[in-house]
Amino acid sequence: MKKLLTVTLFSGLLTLVRMASGFIIAKVVAVHTGPTGIAMLGQVHSLLSTMNGIVASPAGSGVVRYTAENNSAGLDTCSLWWKASLNWITVLFLAVFLAVFLFAKSLAQWALGNQEYSWLVIVAAISLPLSVAGTLIGSVINGQENYRRFVSLGMISVVLSTCVMVFLIIQYQLDGALLSAALFTSISGLIMLLGSINQPWFKLKYWWGKADKVHLKNIGGYVAMAITSAATVPVSLVLVRNILVDKVGWEQAGHWQAVYKISEVYLGVITIALSTYFLPKLATLKDSQSILLEIKNTAKIVMPIVITMAIIVYFLRDFAISVLFTEAFRPARDLFAIQLVGDVIKILAWLYAYPMLSHGATKLFIFSEVFFSISFVLLTFMLVNIYGVDGANISYVANYAIYFIFVFITANKAIYFKKLL
């Protein structure tokens, strides 16, 4: 647990920088584009998350797991998984780029309600290789448990990306905000790339070459899981915002997005710590009892932190709105209470869900992602009709409460651990 606290401290520093970045960007966007701009920016982020999530699917949890498991065996052993990952990335990038090029207008219309933003979708597709490079490099560093390097490169990339984003927003208003969102992760990827050139593992022989069927298949399981997340979670958020826009308008959708954004940012300190420490740690555990014990011990540390943060955010919500947004966002203060309850349940559920990622429980993970993304949208559709914009927050709480029950029962019954024993 001492290691978890150390990792939480380091990831906390990175999260503070990311929080500052998110708040600065939100403030600049709020001032220059208002609630509508915040809502549209949320749509762009979701669309980009889908595109990037598909192409970067072989570069995430699978690379972290197999790097962590094989790190002691040397770079040559790890490279078998890295090559398989890069093979998958190449194929997926070509497929996504072709699809985006052919359907750019339709995607712009679906996400932003305007075909004229098709250029933005194409720019995002062109920038994908750098974005994926950042994810892949970060996964290798994470798997090697080189937390200091992971944090330092992350901080540098966030600071530089934020500077570029703020400049574009001030200079070009709404178009600048949307363009900067498309380029944010690619700038971060470029920094990660330049910062790793001198690393011993950053050599072509470890990355490029034919991969065998075994390694391709194992990475393929993580590709399926990550693509499912990329095709469900961001898409469900786009659909939720579309429901809000249709039922209550762009302005109230912007209020909801502002509160949701604050949740994403402050929870970052936990989610980064979990992905940095928890995922590699679980990957090294082979029996269900050890995994469950690790979950419970981690929860004893993480959950009090999450609850404390949620309470602080609630009591500082008026201050946060004044500092981060403008007076046009003042009605958003009434959306915090329900959202923050959902945040606490969300993190608790994730603790019990992480073993699905760390041990490649592909079918169960895909089922849960698809089912609970659909249920979130359906709950929102029903509850917004009854409670207005509050309905989206209520559905958020209800959906994660049901999700927690599902993963808690599954984990304790060791359904997805049995195949590992």
Side-chain angles (χ1 to χ4, degrees):
M1 289 299 103
K2 181 180 178 181
K3 190 173 185 179
L4 174 57
L5 290 173
T6 302
V7 174
T8 302
L9 176 61
F10 278 110
S11 62
L13 294 174
L14 176 57
T15 303
L16 286 175
V17 175
R18 288 184 175 178
M19 286 176 65
S21 167
F23 291 154
I24 291 171
I25 291 169
K27 180 68 173 182
V28 175
V29 173
V31 170
H32 288 270
T33 66
T36 298
I38 290 288
M40 292 184 70
L41 194 63
Q43 294 293 76
V44 172
H45 276 302
S46 294
L47 180 60
L48 294 176
S49 294
T50 298
M51 293 166 54
N52 193 62
I54 292 172
V55 180
S57 58
S61 301
V63 173
V64 174
R65 173 191 173 180
Y66 293 118
T67 301
E69 287 183 350
N70 298 282
N71 193 39
S72 59
L75 295 178
D76 289 323
T77 302
C78 291
S79 71
L80 298 174
W81 305 101
W82 299 344
K83 288 176 182 177
S85 175
L86 198 57
N87 279 199
W88 272 106
I89 288 170
T90 302
V91 172
L92 290 170
F93 170 71
L94 293 175
V96 169
F97 184 80
L98 179 61
V100 168
F101 185 78
L102 293 175
F103 300 105
K105 289 185 177 180
S106 298
L107 289 170
Q109 179 66 41
W110 174 67
L112 296 167
N114 192 336
Q115 291 186 2
E116 292 183 5
Y117 285 111
S118 59
W119 63 269
L120 181 68
V121 179
I122 294 175
V123 169
I126 293 173
S127 69
L128 281 174
L130 282 177
S131 300
V132 176
T135 302
L136 187 57
I137 291 169
S139 295
V140 171
I141 298 172
N142 193 358
Q144 293 175 336
E145 299 186 4
N146 191 347
Y147 304 127
R148 288 179 175 83
R149 185 169 192 81
F150 181 82
V151 170
S152 60
L153 284 177
M155 291 175 70
I156 294 171
S157 64
V158 170
V159 170
L160 292 179
S161 299
T162 302
C163 291
V164 173
M165 197 167 185
V166 169
F167 171 78
L168 289 174
I169 295 168
I170 294 174
Q171 194 72 19
Y172 301 106
Q173 305 296 303
L174 180 59
D175 284 349
L178 301 180
L179 176 61
S180 63
L183 297 177
F184 189 89
T185 55
S186 62
I187 297 171
S188 298
L190 179 61
I191 301 302
M192 295 289 282
L193 197 65
L194 294 175
S196 301
I197 289 177
N198 294 324
Q199 293 300 298
W201 47 266
F202 196 85
K203 294 179 181 178
L204 188 61
K205 66 176 183 177
Y206 294 131
W207 293 95
W208 190 251
K210 186 178 180 180
D212 61 51
K213 292 182 179 179
V214 173
H215 297 91
L216 285 171
K217 181 180 178 181
N218 288 337
I219 290 292
Y222 284 92
V223 171
M225 289 191 287
I227 286 179
T228 301
S229 291
T232 54
V233 178
V235 170
S236 68
L237 288 173
V238 170
L239 293 175
V240 165
R241 292 190 201 95
N242 283 343
I243 291 170
L244 289 171
V245 169
D246 181 58
K247 301 295 183 182
V248 298
W250 276 105
E251 186 167 340
Q252 289 199 57
H255 296 159
W256 178 85
Q257 175 62 29
V259 176
Y260 192 88
K261 181 64 177 178
I262 290 176
S263 287
E264 282 186 326
V265 173
Y266 90 85
L267 287 180
V269 68
I270 302 299
T271 55
I272 292 176
L274 292 179
S275 62
T276 305
Y277 165 82
F278 200 46
L279 184 59
K281 177 65 176 179
L282 290 179
T284 63
L285 302 177
K286 300 303 179 184
D287 66 276
S288 59
Q289 291 304 313
S290 297
I291 292 171
L292 289 171
L293 181 61
E294 182 64 31
I295 292 173
K296 292 174 183 177
N297 288 336
T298 303
K300 290 177 183 177
I301 294 177
V302 168
M303 293 314 299
I305 296 174
V306 175
I307 293 170
T308 301
M309 293 173 71
I311 292 172
I312 291 172
V313 170
Y314 178 76
F315 284 108
L316 293 179
R317 64 192 188 282
D318 287 318
F319 175 76
I321 291 172
S322 298
V323 172
L324 304 178
F325 302 104
T326 65
E327 285 304 308
F329 289 83
R330 185 61 58 189
R333 73 182 306 276
D334 298 326
L335 304 177
F336 276 87
I338 302 174
Q339 177 73 25
L340 294 171
V341 171
D343 291 343
V344 173
I345 299 173
K346 176 181 182 177
I347 295 300
L348 184 60
W350 278 11
L351 288 173
Y352 283 89
Y354 256 93
M356 287 191 286
L357 276 175
S358 65
H359 288 86
T362 307
K363 293 180 181 178
L364 189 63
F365 181 87
I366 289 174
F367 166 78
S368 63
E369 289 292 285
V370 173
F371 181 86
F372 287 102
S373 291
I374 292 173
S375 64
F376 181 37
V377 175
L378 292 178
L379 284 169
T380 300
F381 181 78
M382 292 186 294
L383 295 176
V384 167
N385 281 325
I386 301 172
Y387 300 105
V389 67
D390 287 327
N393 298 98
I394 296 171
S395 66
Y396 177 73
V397 174
N399 201 53
Y400 270 111
I402 300 170
Y403 181 62
F404 167 69
I405 294 171
F406 170 78
V407 294
F408 180 82
I409 293 174
T410 303
N412 279 276
K413 293 295 184 182
I415 292 174
Y416 57 81
F417 299 144
K418 287 181 179 178
K419 69 172 187 173
L420 307 172
L421 305 179

